[in-house]
Amino acid sequence: DRFGPILVRTDDRGRTWELIVEGFGEDDVVDVVREDARNPAVLYAGTERGLFVSIDTGAGWASLDAGELPPVRVDDLAIQAREMDLVAGTHGRSVWVLDDVSALSALTPEIVASEFHVFETAPAQPRQRLSTYELTSDRQFVSDNPPIEAAIHYWVRDEHDSGAKIKIKDAHGRTIGSLSGSGKPGLQRVGWDMRVDGDIRLSRLHPGTSFAPPGVYRVEVTLGDHSGEIEFELLPELGGDPHAEAE
């Protein structure tokens, strides 16, 4: 009959135990805990009222609902290691997917304390989507597919009204894409559609887009006086020419 958070941790194989519930509410009963697929210091917890994350092995917890997940009991959690998707099974509100938690996986207390940080970007692969009109029926259960994009993640400690400016550059240093991002505090994500600015190809038979050729690209993120650069790989388009290379 104790309806509060109970979560304990041992660092000496069970000889002593420590209560690790800082950040939970008084009535956040913990139902499930999962360790991140890459970083053992990052933990995810499902409670009777939502989803929480810790980046310091449970020393502190923060809500991960982000205004999207309704207040619901989270009975189970699974992490898809290849895509780094966090899947939450709820009681009465179906299954929810937080796609690509790689930035959360790489988040550390040191990064949180820093003013600005740009995370590594996973290899991205362009692909075309075909119409499923021919497969329709009178009863369907469908959901949105994740966007076809290269995800760029960065951390902001203090708010910047002007926001972030992002440039995508090819191997020759040419800017082929320009994006803008939020300057609000927290973990931010911007998606690049992997297309060269202004280069669009249309076909009556198969509408499509002209993706940038495969190769290594550089991402430059600028926020006020801060800036960061990373490189990432763009893979050959699914169904395209696997021997094509960036010019």
Side-chain angles (χ1 to χ4, degrees), residues 35-36 39-43 54-58:
E35 186 179 280
D36 185 81
N39 184 355
V42 175
L43 305 175
S54 172
I55 63 171
D56 49 15
T57 326

Side-chain angles (χ1 to χ4, degrees), residues 190-241:
V190 175
W192 177 47
D193 61 8
M194 298 174 284
R195 291 179 291 183
V196 177
D197 283 354
D199 186 7
I200 301 176
R201 182 180 64 240
L202 297 176
S203 167
R204 290 185 179 179
L205 296 178
H206 185 77
T209 56
S210 180
F211 292 108
V216 176
Y217 291 83
R218 178 172 292 276
V219 178
E220 297 180 358
V221 185
T222 303
L223 182 72
D225 296 331
H226 308 288
S227 63
E229 297 183 4
I230 54 99
E231 288 185 346
F232 79 99
E233 182 181 7
L234 189 63
L235 302 174
E237 177 184 348
L238 279 177
D241 181 4

